[in-house]
């Protein structure tokens, strides 16, 4: 097991900086999820920890040791990729033990480690099969088993579930998290799926265009997003962002007052999560519904606010039956869950 420290880590390709100074201290046994949209730099950051990309500036330390110039094979890490990268002509047993064979371990030691990992991953009945005889989830388990037998200090996962169907992804998320907790191995996990990030992470690094927008626990990021980007990226459906004004100690959307704030006058971005509004006959907001999505546990109502013409989504608990497009409902806002962001910087105000 090991700690991982990123100290102002930067990456440049020529004159273009793609990772803009990421710093964090990852504790021994912690499960960190690096999350963000395509092209945000999350896989590049992971590959720098793995040694597959050079560090342009800053320092990476594994268990206190600087590893910037250390070869990947000498970093005591194991990586699980999006594609399983299994040898098609080898059995499950051979695939899992191949790295140990190359390292020169005795056959009996390799077999013992493979058997232990196979039992842990429920692959012990499949050891003699070839990859083509396995399901996608089983192949991913084999790829994980190949990493586990090495007994690394750090696991690195690069979007390992992207090739699986939705139901299997949910199952594998649970299995990976349970396995990591059981083994206690420090893990960095890259995904573009914010639901994966929310459900798996001890802490998450929210990346945007090479910048770590926020580093914190899933609930910290959800309840108090530091930036407009983090607010909109984390949470499903996405947070509603509305132009608003602070004037005479009041927060307003158009002519509607949403309570006293005690902040300087000016324009702000107002954030309201869809799940933090309720239908109320005396509510301050009026929503003209254009589309209803009944999901069983809740109903998503999409439309426009009459006060400002801004698009808005409300998540109403349970089944809500709309009479038809154009129906108007009044909504009340939970004042404890109102978020304000600076209109220029996008940084959180309150």
């Amino acid at each position: 097991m090991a700690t991982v420290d990123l100290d102002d880590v930067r990456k440049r390709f020529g004159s273009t900086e793609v990772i803009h100074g990421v710093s964090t201290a990852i504790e021994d046994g912690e499960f960190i999820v690096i999350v963000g949209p395509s092209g945000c730099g999350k896989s590049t950051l992971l590959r720098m920890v793995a040694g597959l990309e050079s560090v342009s500036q800053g320092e990476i330390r594994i268990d206190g040791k600087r590893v910037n110039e250390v070869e990947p094979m000498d970093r005591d890490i194991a990586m699980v990729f999006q594609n399983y990268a299994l040898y098609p002509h080898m059995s499950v047993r051979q695939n899992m033990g191949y790295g140990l064979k190359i390292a020169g371990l005795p056959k009996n030691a390799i077999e013992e480690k493979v058997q232990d990992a196979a039992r842990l991953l429920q692959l012990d009945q499949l050891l003699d099969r070839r990859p083509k005889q396995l399901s996608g989830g089983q192949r991913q388990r084999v790829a994980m088993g190949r990493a586990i037998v090495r007994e690394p200090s750090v696991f690195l996962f690069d979007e390992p579930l992207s090739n699986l169907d939705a139901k299997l992804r949910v199952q594998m998320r649970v299995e990976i998290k349970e396995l990591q907790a059981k083994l206690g191995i420090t893990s960095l996990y890259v995904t573009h799926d914010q639901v994966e990030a929310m459900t798996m992470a001890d802490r998450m690094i929210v990346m945007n265009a090479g910048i770590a927008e926020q580093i914190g626990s899933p609930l910290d990021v959800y309840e108090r997003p530091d930036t407009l980007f983090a607010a909109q990226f984390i949470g499903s459906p996405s947070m509603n962002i509305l132009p608003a004004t602070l004037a005479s100690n009041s927060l307003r959307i158009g002519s509607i007052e949403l309570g006293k704030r005690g902040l300087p006058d000016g324009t702000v971005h107002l954030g309201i999560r869809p799940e933090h509004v309720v239908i109320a006959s005396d509510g301050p907001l009026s929503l003209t519904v254009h589309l209803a999505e009944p999901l069983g546990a809740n109903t998503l109502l999409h439309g426009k606010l009459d006060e400002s013409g801004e698009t808005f989504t409300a998540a109403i608990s349970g089944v809500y039956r709309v009479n038809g497009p154009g129906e108007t409902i009044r909504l009340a806002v939970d004042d404890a869950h109102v978020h304000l962001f600076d209109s220029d910087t996008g940084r959180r105000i309150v």
Side-chain angles (χ1 to χ4, degrees), residues 8 11 51 80 145 153 171-172 194 196 201 250 257 345 347:
D8 193 31
K11 177 65 180 178
V80 179
S153 295
Q171 178 185 336
M172 288 299 297
Q194 58 96 13
E196 274 185 22
S250 295
E257 182 179 314
T345 66
R347 304 295 301 181

Side-chain angles (χ1 to χ4, degrees), residues 23-24 203-208 211-235 239 241 269 271 273 338-350:
S23 298
T24 190
R203 284 189 301 146
M204 62 170 70
I205 302 174
V206 183
M207 296 291 294
N208 175 34
I211 298 170
E213 294 270 342
Q214 187 168 357
I215 301 174
S217 73
L219 286 181
D220 284 343
V221 178
Y222 173 82
E223 292 177 345
R224 289 190 61 82
D226 284 348
T227 67
L228 203 56
F229 176 84
Q232 291 182 289
F233 191 80
I234 299 300
M239 181 185 286
I241 302 296
H269 291 299
R273 293 203 181 276
V338 167
H339 308 266
L340 297 182
F341 301 93
D342 187 281
S343 57
D344 295 322
T345 66
R347 304 295 301 181
R348 182 182 188 86
I349 299 172
V350 293

Side-chain angles (χ1 to χ4, degrees), residues 270-287:
L270 166 66
I272 303 172
R273 293 203 181 276
E275 56 271 32
H276 291 152
V277 297
V278 294
I279 295 175
S281 59
D282 59 347
L285 300 180
S286 177
L287 177 70

Side-chain angles (χ1 to χ4, degrees), residues 149-263:
V149 296
R150 295 184 54 195
E151 299 179 352
S153 295
V154 180
F155 273 146
L156 304 178
F157 297 90
D158 192 3
E159 303 215 40
L161 308 184
S162 295
N163 292 334
L164 305 180
D165 62 59
K167 183 178 180 180
L168 192 52
R169 284 178 70 124
V170 174
Q171 178 185 336
M172 288 299 297
R173 283 205 303 260
V174 173
E175 291 182 8
I176 289 175
K177 184 61 178 175
E178 288 181 343
L179 180 67
Q180 188 270 342
K182 187 178 297 184
L183 297 175
I185 297 177
T186 307
S187 300
L188 280 73
Y189 184 106
V190 161
T191 182
H192 64 272
D193 186 334
Q194 58 96 13
V195 175
E196 274 185 22
M198 288 291 293
T199 55
M200 297 180 74
D202 294 328
R203 284 189 301 146
M204 62 170 70
I205 302 174
V206 183
M207 296 291 294
N208 175 34
I211 298 170
E213 294 270 342
Q214 187 168 357
I215 301 174
S217 73
L219 286 181
D220 284 343
V221 178
Y222 173 82
E223 292 177 345
R224 289 190 61 82
D226 284 348
T227 67
L228 203 56
F229 176 84
Q232 291 182 289
F233 191 80
I234 299 300
S236 182
S238 181
M239 181 185 286
N240 297 293
I241 302 296
L242 308 169
T245 58
L246 289 163
S248 302
N249 202 31
S250 295
L251 175 66
R252 294 177 176 274
I253 301 176
S255 61
I256 303 301
E257 182 179 314
L258 292 180
K260 304 297 183 182
R261 280 300 181 277
L263 294 169

Side-chain angles (χ1 to χ4, degrees), residues 53-71:
E53 294 283 358
S54 61
V55 178
S56 301
Q57 184 179 322
E59 188 171 271
I60 297 176
R61 296 183 297 275
I62 297 179
D63 224 14
K65 176 186 175 184
R66 175 187 167 99
V67 296
N68 289 38
E69 295 80 23
V70 176
E71 291 296 321

